[in-house]
Amino acid sequence: MNKKIVLTGGACAGKTESLKYIKDYFTIKGYNVYTVSEMATILIPGGITAQKIGGKNFQELVVNMQLELQKTFEKAVKLSNSTNNLIIFDRCPIDAMMFIRKEELDEIVQKLNTSYDEILNSYDGIIHLETVAKRFPELYSYDNEARQEEMNVTIKADNRLIEAYKKHPKRVIVESYKDFNEKIKHVIKGIEQILSLIHI
């Protein structure tokens, strides 16, 4: 069984931090777990920013990297001896809609010989982690170098992502909790729910 799940949501939602917990939990469950990092956390600390090259150009670089890296991980899964693989993505090309219109994303992915629907349907499930900015603004932080959004911008971005992924039939929205361990429990439960839905 080879399955792909995307973690999405506004900034300061706990996506990146949750990866280790997800990997540890599902490895114990017998899965060969792969985790794909968020592209912005590679580009921005490296000096490539939307401010320097323009917002749409930045998103085009991100989307292209995401699609190529996805192909690399899918190839690695095929080359492995495991038949029980789980790939967890920290964002995917659909997340570009936090910053650009769908029409602009459509232009980008068309140049890359794919489409919004094709990308969306390539994943077995979506876990939307709600940003803490919505319920617990006092917990919102800027400790991630790639996080440059103010809270009101983050809340709007979170809402745009809820809209962007609404067509996916296997999406779980995990609300924020003051106790991050509680949120992790719900993230893992959501992934288990998606995996069980797949088997029905």
Side-chain angles (χ1 to χ4, degrees):
M1 181 185 73
N2 299 324
K3 301 301 175 186
K4 297 178 289 186
I5 293 177
V6 175
L7 303 184
T8 187
C12 208
K15 296 178 300 299
T16 303
E17 189 177 351
S18 69
L19 288 175
K20 178 185 181 301
Y21 296 91
I22 294 169
K23 186 171 185 177
D24 290 347
Y25 181 86
F26 285 97
T27 297
I28 292 172
K29 289 289 185 181
Y31 289 88
N32 190 24
V33 183
Y34 298 81
T35 58
V36 184
S37 300
E38 181 181 4
M39 297 299 100
T41 60
I42 298 172
L43 294 178
I44 293 173
I48 301 175
T49 66
Q51 290 77 12
K52 287 181 181 178
I53 66 172
K56 185 179 176 183
N57 291 331
F58 181 81
Q59 292 304 320
E60 185 166 343
L61 290 179
V62 169
V63 168
N64 186 54
M65 288 176 65
Q66 287 169 326
L67 291 174
E68 288 302 316
L69 201 54
Q70 180 168 328
K71 291 176 186 175
T72 299
F73 273 78
E74 289 169 347
K75 183 176 181 179
V77 164
K78 289 180 181 178
L79 293 172
S80 75
N81 294 322
S82 175
T83 57
N84 206 31
N85 300 291
L86 178 60
I87 308 177
I88 305 292
F89 296 88
D90 187 344
R91 299 201 184 284
C92 82
I94 305 298
D95 283 56
M97 288 171 62
M98 285 192 294
F99 306 106
I100 60 176
R101 294 177 290 107
K102 182 178 182 296
E103 292 76 14
E104 293 176 298
L105 177 61
D106 287 338
E107 290 176 13
I108 291 171
V109 297
Q110 186 176 9
K111 287 195 288 185
L112 299 171
N113 300 312
T114 186
S115 68
Y116 164 84
D117 287 333
E118 186 175 347
I119 292 170
L120 184 65
N121 294 327
S122 71
Y123 305 109
D124 298 292
I126 309 297
I127 300 289
H128 182 108
L129 284 75
E130 180 187 76
T131 174
V132 295
K134 281 186 172 179
R135 297 174 194 266
F136 307 106
E138 69 276 12
L139 298 179
Y140 190 83
S141 69
Y142 297 88
D143 56 356
N144 183 334
E145 188 176 350
R147 183 176 302 138
Q148 302 175 343
E149 302 95 348
E150 297 294 336
M151 278 195 292
N152 62 329
V153 175
T154 292
I155 291 171
K156 290 177 182 178
D158 195 272
N159 291 335
R160 282 196 292 271
L161 287 174
I162 288 176
E163 181 69 15
Y165 285 97
K166 70 178 183 180
K167 290 173 61 178
H168 199 285
K170 298 183 180 71
R171 178 181 66 168
V172 176
I173 298 176
V174 179
E175 67 181 47
S176 292
Y177 294 84
K178 280 195 172 182
D179 182 354
F180 184 68
N181 290 324
E182 188 66 25
K183 191 170 192 177
I184 287 294
K185 289 179 185 177
H186 284 82
V187 169
I188 289 173
K189 182 179 178 181
I191 294 174
E192 288 185 320
Q193 178 184 347
I194 287 169
L195 293 176
S196 68
L197 285 172
I198 290 167
H199 293 144
I200 293 174

